[in-house]
Amino acid sequence: MGELLCMKGITKRYGNGVLANEHASFSLREGEIHAIAGENGAGKSTLMKILCGAQQPTEGTIELRGKPVRMTSPKVATSLGIGMVYQHFMLVDELPVYLNVFLGVEKRRGLVLDKQAMIAQTRALCEKYDMPVDPLALCGDLPVGLRQKVEILKVLVRDAKIIILDEPTAVLTPQETEQLFKQLRILRDARHTIVIITHKLREMKELCDRITIMRHGKTMGAVNACDVSEQEISELMVGGSVRLKVAKADVTPGEIVAEMKAVTVPGSGRPRLDGISFIARAGEILCLAGVEGNGQQQVIECLTGQIDYRGSVKVLGKEVRGQSVRKIRDLGMAHIPEDRMTMGTNQRASLHENLISVDFDRNTVAGFLKSRALKARSEKQLKAFLVKGEIQTPISMLSGGNMQKVVVARELSQHPRLVIANQPTRGVDVGAIAFIHEKLIALRDAGCGIVLVSADMNEVFSLADRIIVFHEGRIAAEINDVANTTEQQLGRYMLGIDQMKREEAAQ
Amino acid sequence: MKSSILKSLCTLLIRLTLALAVAAIVLAGACILMEGSLEDIMTAFFLGPLEDEYAIAEILREMVPLIFTGVAVSLMVRCGQFNMFVEGAFFGGAFLAGVLAPMLGEHFLVTPIISILSAAVAMGAVGYIPAKMKSSLGVNEFVSSLMLNYIVYWVVMYLIHGVAADPDYPNATLYLEDLMRLPLLQEDIELSSNLIIALLAALGCGVFLFKTKWGYALRMTGDNPTFAVYSGIKAKKYVASSQVIGSALAGMGGASFLLGNYYRFQWASLPNYGFDGFVIASIAGNNPYAVPPAALFLGYLRVGALQVSRLGDIPNEVIYVIQAIIIILFGAQFILSRRRKEGGKHA
């Protein structure tokens, strides 16, 4: 197999002096699935943006089929058969699928759009690559998994031979991920070449032929996926050995820190939560597992006082209903939200301002913030949580992993008695994941109760002391013996194939 | 950190230069059309404001309302609120001061200060209407406050034609004796001490916004209400109170301006100082500390324009064109930088 594409000595220096790529090189063989792996901020995305013309390299050359090319704009890259599927979808929700697919390259007959031809071609593509998308459906009505397929169709319709996907599985459920992998394999077999940007070790092993590993803007070399173990990949990524298994001491659960009794939250159609009851205790990590959209989110919203509910929700002994977020927090609740961009951080503020948001009003003299003391504290927190940045750095300058560490630093520094962690490590690099896990375990060992929502099986199994599985707003299973449960069994509960009987759950 | 301040100062300087250059070009164009002397006009526009102490005092007088409304707008925009009541509050505050001061009688400093504070409280209270409608019912404050301006305007017009009017002087409030007004700093050039109140207001707002817990909560709410609510900040409270404080500042501004520079209230139309506040706030990047320099800049331009219009060759309208262009220049930059900030966060 010859080389299809080759990037040599790519250096990218941004205007603010940040060096995103330094003499990075990358080569692609025709008909392979190639992973670009690395921690957040390692320069994966920048390298791929250069490849598809969205960014210009400061130095370096790109060769396509042996001929040097210059990707001066995404249009040039498209005409050379390179297409990118971005992590944040760029679709017009109000338009049907087929118009989204052909947006910008519409088929016309005279002055009018040739709708029939576009619909037919979209349908043909869907059939060819086994994608269950209805060309006439409105994009806004589609679930995330299908919206991603529309993005892929957009690239295919522009005759892309090289398809780059930026963290395609970050937003998908395990089942959708499985399906996506199937389609990517079909595309590969149809002589397409696929690049995926990812930091999930398992995906690389499972799906990819070769892996290019990046660290600090440099390429650490390309390896065949079958030749390396997950452990080896992660060592190459972070440059040291990382423990994937977390050591946990045995702790006997203590008092009840959160309790739900017959909680119902109405939704359009079936209720979002349908008579949910459970308790969470101090000194244990209770994991709420389930495919996204089965009620875990609503449980979090109830516990943190964001939505109204029927039934009874108690946090640290107090009924949540009618209490302000401040009061619930004052009881000793900390909350690591799922969405760190809009909820967990203020992107327009500095690290310091982001770190003091939950208790600034307890550190004042006559209304004035105790600026010096708070700044010293923030500095200490940044150090303790290994955040790369100064207190005055705007948080928007940080990589995703560092941003999440700021959120975790703020929440866990409050001496909480109950931590609500919603996808605390989603989109975070391996090093930061291990770090956040350690912090959560340490809190648990110190007698803090932790309610964890996670879609990551690895995380569930390495952290949970107990698992409650949600399916369609109900509890499908309550697993006390985590060590003797297999991923397959958990998966069956999550999909609603199996249901644990009441007695079993009670026992 | 230091380099970033330096950088933003540089960009501000570049924009100021650009604004002046645009003004010069438009003036030159008008000059050719009107067949005036280019040299005279340029001299009048750029050097006229510094010609003598009267011109300089004129700039300082211009600055007072601009500082008050600029600070008021900055505070509200920092909390994400686009409340237009600054205009009505400035007008209403001036009227109230014009009515109150004669009622209180001639007491050095006491009369003007009580009048100004009362105007601030009253306008803050009126400003609570759109504020509460926004925070509790989600009514767009932009539209409701714009309407409120007209309500205040016509109520004042009604009063000034009747009960509040001077029987000997049509459509105006009673004459303000010297002791009812704010004292002058410089008798001969009629420089009023309201400039000091304005500067103190800007300073106080800066301290409030950047040093106090309320200011911090207000900024967090404005930057990202979801984040604020999640953190336990009562966002609704700040959405409402920022508008009340802004209205009060504007009312205070109107009162100070009237008691410093006028002898009775006889404005027949809304003075537009509230809308100027938005221009000043965007030049100052919604930073209260930067409001006085921004007001100085706009004041300088206005006095330059005045000097040009005294030459008689160029109609006043050309000056408004220049102002509009400068506003677009700054306004566009303001919007662009915001968008860039938001777009950059996924990088």
Side-chain angles (χ1 to χ4, degrees):
Chain A
M1 261 196 288
E3 283 203 342
L4 174 65
L5 179 124
C6 181
M7 297 173 83
K8 278 185 206 148
I10 301 284
T11 297
K12 173 72 190 178
R13 195 178 283 107
Y14 283 107
N16 54 6
V18 171
L19 196 62
N21 286 147
E22 197 181 353
H23 299 294
S25 54
F26 174 67
S27 83
L28 204 53
R29 293 177 192 153
E30 187 150 16
E32 70 171 346
I33 300 185
H34 194 124
I36 298 207
E39 295 201 284
N40 295 71
K44 302 167 294 199
S45 295
T46 307
L47 190 65
M48 287 303 105
K49 279 179 190 159
I50 289 170
L51 178 55
C52 72
Q55 298 264 352
Q56 301 305 313
T58 317
E59 285 168 38
T61 54
I62 306 174
E63 285 175 16
L64 185 68
R65 295 178 212 283
K67 272 181 241 141
V69 285
R70 293 199 49 205
M71 306 290 181
T72 46
S73 75
K75 226 174 188 166
V76 174
T78 308
S79 70
L80 292 169
I82 299 172
M84 179 132 173
V85 174
Y86 288 95
Q87 193 180 352
H88 302 275
F89 301 147
M90 302 183 186
L91 297 171
V92 186
D93 285 351
E94 290 77 14
L95 288 181
V97 168
Y98 74 95
L99 280 179
N100 265 296
V101 168
F102 281 92
L103 199 67
V105 291
E106 295 86 352
K107 286 182 180 296
R108 289 168 197 282
R109 211 170 34 202
L111 282 173
V112 291
L113 295 177
D114 190 351
K115 289 188 180 171
Q116 291 315 317
M118 288 193 277
I119 295 170
Q121 197 181 337
T122 308
R123 194 163 277 149
L125 273 176
C126 288
E127 269 163 30
K128 187 169 168 197
Y129 297 111
D130 191 23
M131 298 189 195
V133 189
D134 174 10
L136 296 173
L138 283 188
C139 266
D141 295 341
L142 298 179
V144 179
L146 289 184
R147 291 162 66 83
Q148 189 176 50
K149 305 230 170 354
V150 178
E151 285 282 357
I152 297 176
L153 284 171
K154 265 167 80 172
V155 173
L156 287 175
V157 115
R158 288 163 174 76
D159 275 330
K161 290 292 170 220
I162 300 174
I163 303 173
I164 306 160
L165 297 106
D166 190 0
E167 308 223 4
T169 59
V171 289
L172 300 184
T173 62
Q175 285 68 32
E176 286 171 329
T177 305
E178 215 31 67
Q179 219 192 5
L180 174 71
F181 286 1
K182 208 172 81 194
Q183 272 138 12
L184 292 181
R185 289 194 192 97
I186 298 176
L187 282 167
R188 175 187 56 187
D189 296 342
R191 304 300 296 160
H192 287 281
T193 308
I194 289 157
V195 184
I196 74 170
I197 303 174
T198 181
H199 49 236
K200 292 192 184 161
L201 303 175
R202 210 161 48 166
E203 287 173 7
M204 299 173 206
K205 284 289 288 173
E206 194 186 323
L207 176 74
C208 301
D209 303 305
R210 289 202 305 154
I211 304 167
T212 293
I213 293 156
M214 295 196 72
R215 189 164 84 211
H216 302 316
K218 298 178 190 144
T219 36
M220 309 306 293
V223 291
N224 289 322
C226 51
D227 296 345
V228 286
S229 68
E230 288 188 17
Q231 191 70 31
E232 282 169 312
I233 302 173
S234 77
E235 273 167 30
L236 278 169
M237 273 163 63
V238 296
S241 69
V242 176
R243 264 182 313 151
L244 283 179
K245 282 275 170 251
V246 201
K248 275 198 312 186
D250 285 333
V251 171
T252 31
E255 35 152 28
I256 296 172
V257 288
E259 183 177 16
M260 281 195 155
K261 262 191 210 146
V263 172
T264 298
V265 172
S268 53
R270 75 175 161 79
R272 303 217 175 245
L273 288 182
D274 193 359
I276 297 288
S277 303
F278 70 84
I279 52 170
R281 292 177 179 280
E284 70 166 359
I285 297 181
L286 171 67
C287 181
L288 311 181
V291 177
E292 238 169 280
N294 278 281
Q296 309 93 302
Q297 183 65 31
Q298 281 71 32
V299 169
I300 299 284
E301 285 171 5
C302 284
L303 289 173
T304 53
Q306 295 176 59
I307 53 169
D308 202 11
Y309 54 85
R310 287 205 298 272
S312 158
V313 178
K314 279 187 181 163
V315 165
L316 297 160
K318 289 250 167 64
E319 182 72 35
V320 170
R321 185 184 289 112
Q323 290 202 65
S324 66
V325 175
R326 161 56 16 102
K327 281 210 182 110
I328 305 171
R329 277 184 174 277
D330 284 348
L331 292 171
M333 183 206 71
H335 177 196
I336 302 169
E338 179 183 14
D339 184 347
R340 62 171 164 266
M341 283 299 196
T342 56
M343 188 177 265
T345 61
N346 176 357
Q347 289 291 312
R348 286 158 68 177
S350 68
L351 295 188
H352 173 62
E353 287 170 325
N354 270 288
L355 281 168
I356 64 172
S357 72
V358 293
D359 67 343
F360 64 97
D361 47 2
R362 278 202 290 273
N363 294 283
T364 56
V365 184
F368 285 83
L369 293 170
K370 285 187 198 160
S371 207
R372 199 165 300 164
L374 282 170
K375 278 185 178 149
R377 193 188 72 172
S378 292
E379 245 155 36
K380 231 188 270 165
Q381 288 178 358
L382 291 184
K383 236 178 244 150
F385 284 80
L386 312 173
V387 180
K388 289 178 196 133
E390 304 290 319
I391 53 170
Q392 295 303 343
T393 311
I395 199 164
S396 53
M397 303 265 284
L398 297 193
S399 68
N402 275 313
M403 237 180 245
Q404 185 72 350
K405 280 197 238 169
V406 173
V407 176
V408 171
R410 178 187 62 220
E411 296 302 318
L412 300 193
S413 303
Q414 299 297 315
H415 310 294
R417 290 162 62 206
L418 167 66
V419 174
I420 307 222
N422 194 354
Q423 314 274 15
T425 59
R426 168 175 281 185
V428 168
D429 51 79
V430 183
I433 290 178
F435 183 79
I436 291 170
H437 283 177
E438 270 167 32
K439 287 282 174 192
L440 287 174
I441 299 267
L443 269 172
R444 158 201 178 265
D445 291 351
C448 172
I450 292 173
V451 175
L452 170 77
V453 169
S454 179
D456 182 347
M457 288 270 194
N458 255 330
E459 184 164 83
V460 172
F461 278 104
S462 57
L463 287 184
D465 294 311
R466 216 148 51 84
I467 303 174
I468 292 180
V469 186
F470 282 80
H471 183 251
E472 298 195 336
R474 293 188 191 163
I475 292 178
E478 194 167 341
I479 302 164
N480 294 323
D481 186 7
V482 177
N484 292 318
T485 307
T486 61
E487 286 194 18
Q488 284 71 22
Q489 185 54 47
L490 185 62
R492 293 175 72 84
Y493 288 134
M494 282 167 67
L495 291 173
I497 301 167
D498 284 358
Q499 268 231 342
M500 201 178 264
K501 289 194 192 78
R502 280 255 159 235
E503 314 81 83
E504 245 179 285
Q507 169 265 325
Chain B
M1 190 57 196
K2 256 189 193 144
S3 73
S4 77
I5 291 176
L6 212 68
K7 214 174 144 190
S8 58
L9 262 177
C10 275
T11 49
L12 189 67
L13 266 179
I14 291 169
R15 280 190 305 168
L16 290 180
T17 324
L18 205 62
L20 288 174
V22 168
I25 292 168
V26 174
L27 268 180
C31 176
I32 292 163
L33 283 176
M34 307 298 164
E35 294 172 351
S37 150
L38 187 62
E39 201 193 326
D40 287 354
I41 289 174
M42 289 297 166
T43 319
F45 186 68
F46 287 108
L47 299 179
L50 305 173
E51 197 177 59
D52 51 32
E53 66 253 47
Y54 295 102
I56 292 173
E58 188 61 42
I59 300 178
L60 298 178
R61 266 197 296 280
E62 266 306 322
M63 278 173 69
V64 172
L66 296 177
I67 292 176
F68 274 113
T69 55
V71 168
V73 171
S74 298
L75 211 66
M76 297 193 290
V77 172
R78 276 281 176 162
C79 197
Q81 304 306 307
F82 290 86
N83 184 317
M84 308 300 286
F85 184 58
V86 178
E87 178 71 30
F90 191 87
F91 185 78
F95 170 75
L96 277 180
V99 174
L100 274 175
M103 280 164 72
L104 290 168
E106 293 178 65
H107 304 286
F108 177 69
L109 270 185
V110 176
T111 298
I113 286 176
I114 291 181
S115 308
I116 290 168
L117 291 181
S118 314
V121 170
M123 286 304 117
V126 179
Y128 184 67
I129 299 169
K132 182 68 182 167
M133 277 161 69
K134 169 69 178 280
S135 71
S136 294
L137 304 170
V139 176
N140 186 323
E141 78 283 0
F142 183 84
V143 178
S144 62
S145 60
L146 211 52
M147 296 299 111
L148 190 61
N149 283 345
Y150 289 101
I151 296 175
V152 168
Y153 172 71
W154 287 110
V155 168
V156 169
M157 283 296 110
Y158 168 75
L159 294 175
I160 212 170
H161 283 92
V163 282
D166 184 341
D168 305 326
Y169 201 103
N171 306 337
T173 56
L174 292 170
Y175 182 78
L176 296 169
E177 302 294 343
D178 275 350
L179 287 178
M180 298 175 190
R181 304 172 68 220
L182 284 165
L184 293 174
L185 291 177
Q186 275 283 323
E187 291 276 346
D188 51 342
I189 53 171
E190 284 202 35
L191 183 60
S192 169
S193 54
N194 58 12
L195 180 63
I196 292 172
I197 303 181
L199 291 173
L200 284 177
L203 189 72
C205 278
V207 170
F208 171 78
L209 206 51
F210 297 114
K211 300 273 185 233
T212 69
K213 59 176 182 178
W214 305 288
Y216 170 81
L218 187 152
R219 283 186 291 127
M220 294 303 117
T221 305
D223 286 348
N224 182 347
T226 316
F227 169 77
V229 170
Y230 150 82
S231 298
I233 295 169
K234 294 189 172 100
K236 281 184 180 178
K237 178 174 132 190
Y238 291 96
V239 163
S241 56
S242 68
Q243 297 183 50
V244 171
I245 298 171
S247 305
L249 274 169
M252 195 174 163
S256 311
F257 191 48
L258 189 91
L259 296 184
N261 300 17
Y262 291 85
Y263 289 90
R264 45 174 99 234
F265 179 89
Q266 50 181 333
W267 297 348
S269 63
L270 290 171
N272 271 338
Y273 283 121
F275 303 124
D276 289 342
F278 278 84
V279 180
I280 294 292
S282 61
I283 297 177
N286 299 316
N287 181 344
Y289 295 134
V291 161
L296 179 66
F297 170 69
L298 199 61
Y300 181 89
L301 281 186
R302 294 226 163 128
V303 175
L306 209 69
Q307 300 283 18
V308 170
S309 68
R310 275 188 196 142
L311 291 178
D313 294 331
I314 304 266
N316 242 333
E317 283 73 11
V318 173
I319 302 308
Y320 291 121
V321 171
I322 292 176
Q323 273 188 21
I325 292 173
I326 289 167
I327 291 165
I328 291 172
L329 221 61
F330 279 99
Q333 207 281 341
F334 178 62
I335 293 160
L336 269 180
S337 72
R338 258 176 102 112
R339 282 192 52 182
R340 217 176 289 137
K341 248 186 189 167
E342 274 156 24
K345 73 187 179 188
H346 297 306

